[in-house]
Amino acid sequence: MEKGSTISFDTIEDLKHFFKSDTKNHLVSVLNLTSQPMVLVGMDVVAGFYSIFLRYPKNLEKLSQEVKEGVGAPTVTVIPPGRSVRRKTPPQGIEFNNLVLAFSPTLIKGSTFGRHISEYTFMQYDVEESLYPTDEELDKVKSIFRRVDDELHHEEDRNTLHILTDQIKLVLDHCLRFYDRQFATRHSQNYQIAQEFLQNINLYLNSGMAKKMGVPSISYFADLSHTSPGYFSDIIKKETGVNIKKYLQYKIIEAAKQMLSATDKPINEIAEWLGFKYPQHFTRLFKHEAGMSPRDFRKQIKKEQ
């Protein structure tokens, strides 16, 4: 299970054994880690299941608003299977309640919920991009955790897994709503990020950077804004209404059309300028997006001139 500074929990049974939990269900578990605040601190943790972490300070109502919005802010973090996370030392002077709701991929395998799990894009966010729930939102998440825990202590019957799955989906759906609120409250900051991206993509394609660094990637622009690719993609989607992957492809094709129309550069050189290692990959993308090959597009433009 443990290797160097990394510890792996392949199954929920491994997790329950490590924390000496006696809950019966091997597909779902709610663990209270409050009494073990320093466990796994400084280690990279990788799990073979989904984890919803809820952290909130004890005596929340007694904290000042400044502390609540700073180091004492409650957080909800959702981690998918296989994602490495490092647990940091908690800030001094504040005691936290730490809860985790873990559920196995097996629980949702083959279900409609499982087929749409990727729509919860916040699972790809960095820990620093966790959800910061309001007091009301925190109460809702805590209440769902309690309902899951109550169900786990109920005598298991044919309805158990269905009820547990519904509760897990409910907390994830609430997180979607809460993230929408969080994005809205950060509109000014996110709008600036979106505007810088629109400028940077033009610079990337027109200055020769693509030729040196390759086809423009979401990761490159996310790094410029100091965000994770998943979080950055959602910022662009919410601020501009466009899918970033589709937008990058659109900008590549627009730049290609400009070069095909205004220059006599060979198609191979245009592909290289736009970051394509293999010209056939450029031709395939162009044909898919423009409905014709680069060569046919150039012929058509010349006929029209």
Side-chain angles (χ1 to χ4, degrees):
M1 184 183 297
E2 187 172 341
K3 184 178 180 181
S5 61
T6 300
I7 187 166
S8 298
F9 298 107
D10 296 330
T11 67
I12 291 178
E13 287 295 321
D14 291 338
L15 185 71
K16 292 193 294 185
H17 178 74
F18 185 88
F19 288 106
K20 298 179 175 59
S21 171
D22 60 356
T23 52
K24 300 176 183 178
N25 198 295
H26 67 285
L27 296 178
V28 184
S29 186
V30 175
L31 298 176
N32 189 332
L33 309 183
T34 301
S35 61
Q36 301 167 317
M38 298 304 292
V39 172
L40 306 181
V41 167
M43 298 188 71
D44 293 316
V45 181
V46 181
F49 44 82
Y50 296 92
S51 303
I52 306 174
F53 290 95
L54 175 58
R55 189 191 80 156
Y56 58 98
K58 297 179 180 179
N59 301 320
L60 181 64
E61 67 282 354
K62 295 183 179 180
L63 296 179
S64 68
Q65 194 63 30
E66 184 179 67
V67 173
K68 284 184 182 180
E69 296 175 355
V71 295
T75 58
V76 180
T77 308
V78 186
I79 307 296
R83 180 100 178 260
S84 177
V85 177
R86 172 160 292 195
R87 192 173 181 200
K88 298 181 180 179
T89 304
Q92 292 183 349
I94 303 177
E95 293 185 70
F96 287 92
N97 291 295
N98 295 282
L99 306 177
V100 58
L101 166 55
F103 64 98
S104 170
T106 303
L107 177 72
I108 60 176
K109 185 177 181 181
S111 67
T112 301
F113 177 34
R115 289 193 295 272
H116 291 275
I117 195 73
S118 62
E119 295 177 7
Y120 299 103
T121 54
F122 51 75
M123 290 188 182
Q124 303 305 321
Y125 296 174
D126 284 345
V127 172
E128 291 77 11
E129 297 158 345
S130 295
L131 174 67
Y132 290 84
T134 63
D135 291 350
E136 181 182 355
E137 292 167 353
L138 176 63
D139 287 341
K140 287 183 178 180
V141 176
K142 287 163 62 177
S143 69
I144 299 173
F145 272 51
R146 284 194 295 269
R147 290 201 293 272
V148 172
D149 193 47
D150 287 345
E151 184 62 30
L152 288 171
H153 287 86
H154 186 278
E155 189 67 30
E156 188 169 343
D157 57 34
R158 64 188 181 92
N159 300 303
T160 299
L161 293 182
H162 179 71
I163 292 172
L164 289 172
T165 302
D166 282 352
Q167 293 302 314
I168 292 168
K169 184 178 185 303
L170 182 60
V171 72
L172 294 177
D173 286 343
H174 274 305
C175 285
L176 274 178
R177 172 180 288 174
F178 301 158
Y179 261 115
D180 284 343
R181 185 270 311 158
Q182 186 163 292
F183 274 112
T185 59
R186 299 178 181 181
H187 168 66
S188 297
Q189 174 186 343
N190 292 341
Y191 177 79
Q192 183 63 31
I193 289 174
Q195 291 304 303
E196 290 176 355
F197 163 66
L198 298 179
Q199 296 172 5
N200 288 333
I201 181 60
N202 289 328
L203 176 64
Y204 192 93
L205 291 171
N206 296 328
S207 67
M209 292 176 67
K211 183 176 180 179
K212 297 177 181 178
M213 302 177 64
V215 175
S217 68
I218 297 173
S219 295
Y220 172 80
F221 297 104
D223 286 343
L224 290 181
S225 67
H226 307 291
T227 61
S228 68
Y231 193 78
F232 181 76
S233 297
D234 283 350
I235 286 176
I236 301 305
K237 176 69 174 178
K238 293 179 186 302
E239 292 297 327
T240 67
V242 301
N243 177 290
I244 187 171
K245 183 178 180 180
K246 290 291 185 182
Y247 185 75
L248 287 174
Q249 291 177 343
Y250 165 77
K251 294 297 290 185
I252 291 170
I253 300 306
E254 287 300 298
K257 287 180 177 179
Q258 176 62 27
M259 296 179 73
L260 289 165
S261 303
T263 74
D264 292 321
K265 286 186 177 182
I267 292 173
N268 285 2
E269 287 187 18
I270 293 176
E272 183 182 11
W273 177 265
L274 295 174
F276 289 87
K277 186 176 181 180
Y278 302 105
Q280 59 267 34
H281 291 173
F282 163 69
T283 299
R284 187 181 303 123
L285 175 64
F286 190 96
K287 190 172 184 178
H288 181 270
E289 296 297 318
M292 64 182 75
S293 69
R295 191 178 305 279
D296 289 340
F297 177 82
R298 176 172 268 170
K299 288 180 181 179
Q300 178 177 296
I301 291 298
K302 288 185 176 181
K303 285 181 183 180
E304 295 173 353
Q305 290 176 344

